[in-house]
Amino acid sequence: MPGDTKNPRSWPRWRSLLPHVRAVLNLADPETGENQVAQATFRLNDRIGSYLAQHGQLAPAISYLGRGQTLSASILGPDHTITRTITNNLAAAKAGHDRRG
């Protein structure tokens, strides 16, 4: 995965990977796979959601971040650092969406 979603240097790579990441996430069913698959899925949901939020695509960002947060909480628990990070990213995207009205 590309680096920090806030770093403009990573944006071209994100743009090129975005359709592929979306396709994988739309087809993945982490509930039937190994725990590693589920963890990779919620981390990927967080990264793509963060990227989309950074670029003003808040509705799809909220969708991906929500999926990632739900999955992370179910596997790692609501108080795990990763779950809290995704929850924070989701809250920021929702706040941005609310500001835009």
Side-chain angles (χ1 to χ4, degrees):
M1 295 305 304
D4 184 0
T5 59
K6 295 176 184 173
N7 182 344
R9 291 181 187 170
S10 71
W11 295 351
R13 189 156 179 224
W14 268 109
R15 273 192 298 276
S16 68
L17 290 174
L18 196 57
H20 307 288
V21 172
R22 283 182 164 164
V24 168
L25 289 176
N26 289 336
L27 294 175
D29 184 5
E31 307 257 343
T32 62
E34 301 272 331
N35 196 24
Q36 286 181 309
V37 172
Q39 288 188 27
T41 301
F42 66 69
R43 289 175 193 250
L44 193 54
N45 272 288
D46 176 57
R47 301 300 293 160
I48 192 172
S50 296
Y51 173 81
L52 291 169
Q54 191 69 29
H55 290 271
Q57 297 180 40
L58 297 172
I62 290 167
S63 177
Y64 285 111
L65 289 164
R67 288 168 53 186
Q69 191 274 341
T70 298
L71 187 55
S72 179
S74 72
I75 293 170
L76 301 175
D79 294 325
H80 192 279
T81 304
I82 294 171
T83 304
R84 287 182 178 190
T85 297
I86 299 171
T87 301
N88 184 59
N89 294 340
L90 175 59
K94 286 181 176 181
H97 189 268
D98 290 346
R99 282 192 299 272
R100 290 173 80 181

